[in-house]
Amino acid sequence: MLDGHPRILADLRARLAEPHRVYHGQAHIDALLEAFRARRGTVRDPDAVELAIWFHDAVYRPGAADNERRSAALLRALPEGAVPAPTTRPPAPVQ
């Protein structure tokens, strides 16, 4: 999904290569993406799942309590059209 966005991928890969990361690095993301490929057709919004894999803890500061919030903000700050619009909107309430 992000293959057509080399700048976004380069930024994410640079973040994943930060020296203070022990677990949330590129190998972790690659393992999650590989596992997801086998299940991609079973989820309602596979693009959202793939983005969640790429962006979870994209912002990582050891000891910070807001890494997930900052990572979500990074995703929402992508240029318009970089990812499908429904993927970046909050989910509809469950009825």
Side-chain angles (χ1 to χ4, degrees):
M1 161 179 209
L2 292 175
D3 291 336
H5 303 283
R7 287 185 179 168
I8 295 169
L9 273 176
D11 177 65
L12 288 169
R13 288 189 173 124
R15 292 170 182 275
L16 294 166
E18 293 168 338
H20 61 272
R21 291 176 180 262
V22 176
Y23 181 71
H24 284 102
Q26 188 66 59
H28 172 64
I29 297 302
D30 290 344
L32 290 171
L33 289 170
E34 182 64 30
F36 177 59
R37 281 188 192 100
R39 296 163 183 84
R40 187 173 179 86
T42 66
V43 298
R44 183 178 305 164
D45 191 347
D47 289 343
V49 174
E50 186 172 335
L51 286 171
I53 290 170
W54 274 106
F55 280 85
H56 83 280
D57 277 340
V59 175
Y60 181 72
R61 295 181 317 180
D66 62 348
N67 289 324
E68 289 81 8
R69 183 181 59 77
R70 288 177 177 266
S71 296
L74 181 69
L75 172 60
R76 287 190 303 273
L78 290 178
E80 189 166 329
V83 297
T87 303
T88 57
R89 288 195 310 246
V94 177
Q95 302 289 333

